[in-house]
Amino acid sequence: MTFRYGLDRMDLDIVNGIADGSIKAELCAEAIARINQSRSNVEVMASSDKAIYGINTGFGPLCDTQISPAETALLQKNLLITHAVGVGEPIAKAISKLMLITKVHALSQGYSGVRLEVVERMLKFIELDLIPVVPEQGSVGASGDLAPLSHLFLPLLGEGEFWQGKGCISAAEALAQHGLAPIELQAKEGLGLINGTQFILSHAITALTKMRYLLDLADVAGAMSIEGMQGSGSPFRPELHQIRAFAGNIEVAARMRRLFKDSENMASHTGCARVQDPYSLRCIPQVHGASRNAYNHLKELAEIEMNSVTDNPIVISSEEAISGGGFHGQPLAMVLDYTSIAAAELGNISDRRCYLLLEGLHGLPRLLTKAGGLNSGMMIPQYVTAALVTENKSLCFPPSADSVPTSMGQEDHVSMGSISGRKLNQILGNLEKILAIELMYAAQAIEFRRPNKCSDLVEHNFALIRSKVAKLEEDRLLKPDIDAMIKLVTSQAFSVSFALN
């Protein structure tokens, strides 16, 4: 397929496909016409005596200061230079690329007034893999992601840096290498470029892409832990979830039933004396399901944002540009914070299952070793999950609940959504490590249920673990095992997607 910027609907799979090159994207004639018409409207207003914010006035608290046509180009250049004040480590190159892609889509809808030349240069950057270096800190998430977007577009002026391998190259040098001259921005263009939520949005896209896999993997880890504990399959029966019909709960319960299908191990203890399992086993549909519901909400809102125009003002005609708050990050900030809690809870319940597996219950040896005393077995990796869970809890404070006035009070309520997006990705990084350790524990527990076999899906993932991490017989250095497990998780090597019938 070929995606048409400014016209077609972007979603999570499409934006990732454009980013990895599997989906072609282009500016078609209709989008070009929209861009050119919007630009023509701006040029009419820029030469007008009427003060129109962002086109022939200053910005923020200087919105009542009118700028002459002769000063317009300098104003736009100064805007980018003065707002490029980000600090900290650079964000991942992949996130910067997502920022470029989503910004092109927004500008191509024809409400921003930038010239076609500017949009085409951004597309040239994507084509040549000239991805700007953007610091991670400095956006308050209202008036747009001003600082990071300024860094993203400094290279248009020949300023700033591009990624080159694992290092950086000055934009001026890179442009010269490709025979590209710096662009002189015109009326409205600087504001059109740096107003927007693309930093917040691109962090949301990155988190959604990772979390989609981790939600599925959490179900697999939970199923393997239940197999290891010889827990009950009753809490996953459809009758229980049809009468409390949350979509996430229903999906997780169905996935668990499929993960237990034709399991000899589950059948081996049918009718045992155990009445019920601890919550971390029997409440998997409710807890994992709630996290899925949060994921689905974030995905819904992020896909709305992907197809939105979020700069300011919005050019309606040659006589009207509406100044509003379309750049405000609150719609994403709040759900990013909620999804951070959802991701942290996946780790929280996973850690509890790790602890259960160590207690020596229901036929399992304490610490998952038959040689306890001289050997510590699997005792200490759970310390790591406990530490990571607590770190995630500390990251769950919602930045969107806070606001610090900026711009001399003109921008007196801000979203802090950029922090929300960054923290969600930190939590997901910790969750990968927690699930890696649970999967290692679950595989060790399943060893003590042999010769019983589990379902085909569980056995497939068990074999993958054993291809990298051997059964623990006596104490050995576990750090290489944990690292190998983390690599399996981060490379998305586990089989987690399957038909439910």
Side-chain angles (χ1 to χ4, degrees):
M1 66 172 288
T2 297
F3 180 80
R4 300 176 302 165
Y5 282 116
L7 300 175
D8 292 337
R9 184 180 183 277
M10 187 175 280
D11 62 23
L12 186 62
D13 292 326
I14 288 173
V15 73
N16 283 323
I18 295 170
D20 67 24
S22 62
I23 293 177
K24 182 181 177 183
E26 66 179 14
L27 275 182
C28 69
E30 185 177 347
I32 290 171
R34 290 184 181 187
I35 292 169
N36 286 335
Q37 181 60 59
S38 182
R39 181 62 206 169
S40 176
N41 292 338
V42 165
E43 289 173 352
V44 171
M45 286 185 281
S47 60
S48 169
D49 292 334
K50 179 183 176 182
I52 303 172
Y53 174 71
I55 294 178
N56 58 10
T57 72
F59 312 113
L62 302 176
C63 60
D64 55 358
T65 303
Q66 196 157 346
I67 304 299
S68 71
E71 297 171 314
T72 296
L74 180 59
L75 175 68
Q76 301 304 313
K77 177 181 178 181
N78 286 347
L79 182 64
L80 261 69
I81 291 174
T82 58
H83 286 61
V85 293
V87 296
E89 295 298 314
I91 62 174
K93 178 182 177 182
I95 300 179
S96 291
K97 188 173 186 179
L98 289 170
M99 290 175 69
L100 275 176
I101 292 167
T102 53
K103 191 65 173 183
V104 167
H105 188 42
L107 296 178
S108 299
Q109 295 180 48
Y111 293 95
S112 303
V114 301
R115 288 169 296 158
L116 178 61
E117 174 188 357
V118 175
V119 179
E120 289 179 334
R121 178 59 59 87
M122 294 162 62
L123 290 172
K124 179 62 71 173
F125 285 171
I126 295 170
E127 175 192 337
L128 297 174
D129 197 37
L130 290 174
I131 307 301
V133 177
V134 177
E136 65 180 353
Q137 295 171 301
S139 172
V140 296
S143 232
D145 292 309
L146 293 173
L149 284 168
S150 295
H151 285 279
L152 189 74
F153 294 118
L154 278 179
L156 292 172
L157 311 179
E159 303 284 351
E161 295 178 311
F162 290 113
W163 286 103
Q164 187 176 65
K166 294 184 178 180
C168 305
I169 183 174
S170 75
E173 184 178 352
L175 292 180
Q177 288 177 1
H178 291 280
L180 299 173
I183 288 176
E184 185 176 276
L185 298 178
Q186 302 298 322
K188 176 66 171 68
E189 290 182 331
L191 201 58
L193 291 170
I194 73 170
N195 257 201
T197 59
Q198 283 75 32
F199 182 90
I200 301 173
L201 175 59
S202 296
H203 278 81
I205 292 168
T206 302
L208 284 165
T209 305
K210 182 175 289 187
M211 190 171 176
R212 177 165 54 186
Y213 176 79
L214 294 178
L215 281 163
D216 288 347
L217 185 63
D219 296 342
V220 171
M224 291 184 70
S225 290
I226 289 173
E227 288 278 19
M229 288 288 294
Q230 289 194 329
S232 173
S234 295
F236 313 108
R237 290 179 56 178
E239 298 92 334
L240 179 63
H241 301 284
Q242 288 166 357
I243 58 175
R244 195 185 186 206
F246 289 107
N249 303 33
I250 290 172
E251 182 177 351
V252 171
R255 285 175 56 81
M256 298 301 285
R257 292 194 300 273
R258 175 60 186 89
L259 284 161
F260 296 135
K261 185 179 180 182
D262 300 326
S263 169
E264 295 174 2
N265 188 48
M266 292 294 283
S268 72
H269 57 89
T270 301
C272 68
R274 238 191 300 173
V275 175
Q276 60 182 359
D277 294 324
Y279 287 176
S280 62
L281 302 183
R282 65 180 157 115
C283 294
I284 284 174
Q286 289 76 21
V287 178
H288 290 197
S291 294
R292 280 186 182 272
N293 293 335
Y295 167 88
N296 289 335
H297 190 198
L298 176 59
K299 182 174 181 287
E300 175 191 356
L301 298 190
E303 290 184 345
I304 291 172
E305 194 79 330
M306 287 179 213
N307 296 286
S308 299
V309 178
T310 55
D311 61 281
N312 184 63
I314 299 306
V315 179
I316 302 299
S317 69
S318 61
E319 298 177 348
E320 186 178 15
I322 302 175
S323 181
F327 50 71
H328 204 292
Q330 198 79 351
L332 286 185
M334 292 181 69
V335 72
L336 283 164
D337 288 338
Y338 160 42
T339 309
S340 291
I341 296 171
E345 279 301 289
L346 290 174
N348 203 354
I349 195 171
S350 174
D351 167 71
R352 292 299 80 211
R353 292 192 294 262
C354 289
Y355 191 90
L356 271 179
L357 289 166
L358 296 176
E359 286 193 300
L361 302 174
H362 312 305
L364 290 178
R366 284 196 305 169
L367 306 178
L368 293 173
T369 177
K370 287 185 175 179
L374 178 62
N375 292 280
S376 296
M378 292 279 188
M379 180 196 302
I380 301 303
Q382 191 267 327
Y383 287 42
V384 177
T385 64
L388 292 169
V389 161
T390 298
E391 185 174 314
N392 278 351
K393 290 174 184 175
S394 74
L395 291 169
C396 281
F397 172 83
S400 65
D402 192 19
S403 177
V404 178
T406 59
S407 194
M408 298 172 62
Q410 180 75 4
E411 297 159 11
D412 56 353
H413 182 280
V414 297
S415 76
M416 301 297 181
S418 63
I419 305 169
S420 304
R422 288 172 47 228
K423 284 175 36 156
L424 173 55
N425 281 282
Q426 288 178 265
I427 290 169
L428 290 169
N430 288 337
L431 176 59
E432 289 175 325
K433 301 177 181 73
I434 295 166
L435 291 176
I437 290 173
E438 183 187 359
L439 287 160
M440 182 177 72
Y441 275 19
Q444 181 74 2
I446 287 171
E447 294 281 9
F448 297 105
R449 305 306 184 183
R450 296 309 193 197
N452 292 345
K453 291 290 186 181
C454 303
S455 72
D456 57 341
L457 295 172
V458 168
E459 290 293 343
H460 176 84
N461 285 302
F462 175 87
L464 177 65
I465 294 170
R466 282 291 168 261
S467 72
K468 302 295 182 182
V469 175
K471 177 184 177 183
L472 184 69
E473 301 284 2
E474 296 180 343
D475 279 359
R476 64 172 184 260
L477 187 63
L478 289 178
K479 177 66 163 60
D481 293 349
I482 294 171
D483 288 344
M485 290 299 303
I486 292 170
K487 187 173 181 181
L488 287 176
V489 172
T490 57
S491 64
Q492 301 192 355
F494 286 96
S495 294
V496 299
S497 298
F498 42 81
L500 297 182
N501 49 21

